[in-house]
Amino acid sequence: LKEQSEPTWPVFMPAVFECLAEKDGDVRTPAAYAISLAAPLPKFGEAAPEAFRRLAQILSGPAPKKRDESGKVAMDNCVSALFALARHQSALCPPDVPAWQVVVGKLPIQDDEDEAKKVHKAVAELLLEQHAGLLGPEQAHLGKVLSALAEVYKQENLCKEETDAAILRIFQMLPRDNLLKLASGFSEKQQKKIEKMLS
């Protein structure tokens, strides 16, 4: 569908943005998913600034209640969509929208398992590439990103084997001093996983 759907965007995208604002998670999820699919396409640049704003607004709002399964899945899809936008359309992100900071603050994602596997794989890839946006100014996001990757490591429902291998490589490549400095940001469970990776 991707490029072939472009002629319908002038009609379709305003409707997608409206659906993002719906209370019903089952309506928000496909809208966010549509943005995820469109984000890598150059033509989506026209709609990107508005998409950045709307997604960041949703993700900065209140978290869904524990029992709101469809709301939690929709939230994961919004994280995935903003991640795709930040990765592919970063030049068009409005200056007042801290897209990467918002995405990193929501990692790891755990309720939509397909999106989780996709996003965690991409996060590991970008970290191996030393992606400046993901790492943040002066690598401010590094601790949170490593914490998220340690959390999903070896969790089959959230992380593929190839991603596990990439996460292992990341932790083995990091200078021990750097890890020690960041250790206070890791939970006890995450610290144990990291020790195991490094033993």
Side-chain angles (χ1 to χ4, degrees):
L1 199 71
K2 295 188 178 174
E3 284 92 346
Q4 284 87 338
S5 70
E6 285 177 11
T8 66
W9 285 4
V11 177
F12 179 58
M13 276 305 156
V16 165
F17 288 155
E18 274 175 38
C19 289
L20 277 180
E22 285 287 330
K23 279 202 165 74
D24 185 349
D26 290 333
V27 177
R28 289 198 308 276
T29 295
Y33 186 65
I35 293 172
S36 289
L37 292 179
L41 306 175
K43 190 95 171 77
F44 189 68
E46 294 164 27
E50 179 70 4
F52 270 113
R53 281 190 196 288
R54 293 201 182 220
L55 288 164
Q57 192 179 358
I58 291 165
L59 294 172
S60 303
K65 292 187 168 63
K66 273 192 174 164
R67 290 185 183 168
D68 181 8
E69 293 303 327
S70 71
K72 291 192 291 187
V73 167
M75 192 63 101
D76 280 1
N77 276 268
C78 287
V79 176
S80 182
L82 188 58
F83 176 83
L85 275 173
R87 186 179 190 180
H88 298 290
Q89 302 281 359
S90 59
L92 297 165
C93 182
D96 58 326
V97 175
W100 281 113
Q101 190 182 329
V102 174
V103 167
V104 168
K106 292 290 179 186
L107 295 176
I109 61 175
Q110 300 181 321
D111 293 290
D112 184 325
E113 295 181 357
D114 291 335
E115 288 305 301
K117 286 174 189 159
K118 195 168 75 180
V119 168
H120 300 144
K121 176 177 186 275
V123 167
E125 287 168 357
L126 291 186
L127 195 53
L128 284 166
E129 291 166 19
Q130 297 280 300
H131 188 279
L134 178 68
L135 286 168
E138 295 180 16
Q139 301 201 340
H141 303 159
L142 180 61
K144 180 73 179 89
V145 172
L146 291 173
S147 157
L149 292 177
E151 184 66 36
V152 299
Y153 180 68
K154 295 284 186 191
Q155 287 201 40
E156 282 176 28
N157 58 327
L158 301 176
C159 200
K160 291 181 172 174
E161 272 183 36
E162 64 195 276
T163 309
D164 283 337
I167 293 171
L168 183 61
R169 203 156 80 241
I170 287 164
F171 278 99
Q172 289 176 338
M173 280 165 56
L174 273 171
R176 294 288 169 106
D177 293 354
N178 290 21
L179 266 180
L180 284 171
K181 279 180 204 155
L182 298 166
S184 62
F186 303 140
S187 70
E188 200 177 328
K189 179 180 147 195
Q190 290 165 0
Q191 286 185 18
K192 282 181 179 159
K193 278 188 172 180
I194 294 165
E195 281 163 20
K196 222 173 184 178
M197 284 187 232
L198 299 177
S199 62

